[in-house]
Amino acid sequence: MRGVTLDCADPQTLAGFYGALTGMRELFSTDQFVALTDDSGCDLGFQRVDGYRAPQWPGQDVPQQFHLDFRADDLDAMEELALKLGAAKPDHQPGDGRWRVLLDPAGHPFCLTSS
């Protein structure tokens, strides 16, 4: 796989969030699209979509469509960083503490896991 691209209203803001969360760096940027890389061969992209509607978690009125999972050596520290960077933590938390579901600044659910 070459990469994953997320739809959003503001590619620069969302790329800034994920860059700070993951340590990935900007590879390419325009007003319409930003790509982050870490030289793993799988980049993370963000594309502007007019009329973007954020997914609704856990409801499916606007489906999540997909979500990203990130491994964290320290779940508490990674969650704290994500929240500081602008993520939100929904009340619904499945998984019995094995992972944590957060919402990025554009409303996409993503998970932090230690496994």
Side-chain angles (χ1 to χ4, degrees):
M1 179 166 44
R2 177 67 182 102
V4 176
T5 299
L6 287 78
D7 292 347
C8 60
D10 184 348
Q12 288 74 23
T13 297
L14 201 55
F17 170 80
Y18 279 107
L21 184 68
T22 65
M24 295 177 84
R25 67 184 182 287
E26 189 176 286
L27 175 66
F28 176 82
S29 178
T30 70
D31 289 342
Q32 298 300 312
F33 183 84
V34 178
L36 299 178
T37 191
D38 64 359
D39 298 323
S40 68
C42 187
D43 298 334
L44 190 53
F46 308 91
Q47 67 184 0
R48 183 180 311 278
V49 171
D50 293 333
Y52 170 76
R53 290 179 43 200
Q56 301 300 305
W57 170 263
Q60 293 297 307
D61 292 333
V62 180
Q64 63 176 323
Q65 302 164 10
F66 71 93
H67 70 268
L68 301 171
D69 292 336
F70 296 97
R71 185 179 2 252
D73 292 332
D74 182 333
L75 281 176
D76 291 332
M78 188 64 125
E79 178 182 325
E80 182 179 336
L81 174 62
L83 294 172
K84 180 180 171 185
L85 293 170
K89 186 174 182 180
D91 291 334
H92 182 66
Q93 292 291 317
D96 299 325
R98 292 177 291 156
W99 62 83
R100 305 204 184 142
V101 178
L102 300 174
L103 305 175
D104 72 21
H108 302 107
F110 67 97
C111 293
L112 302 176
T113 181
S114 59
S115 58

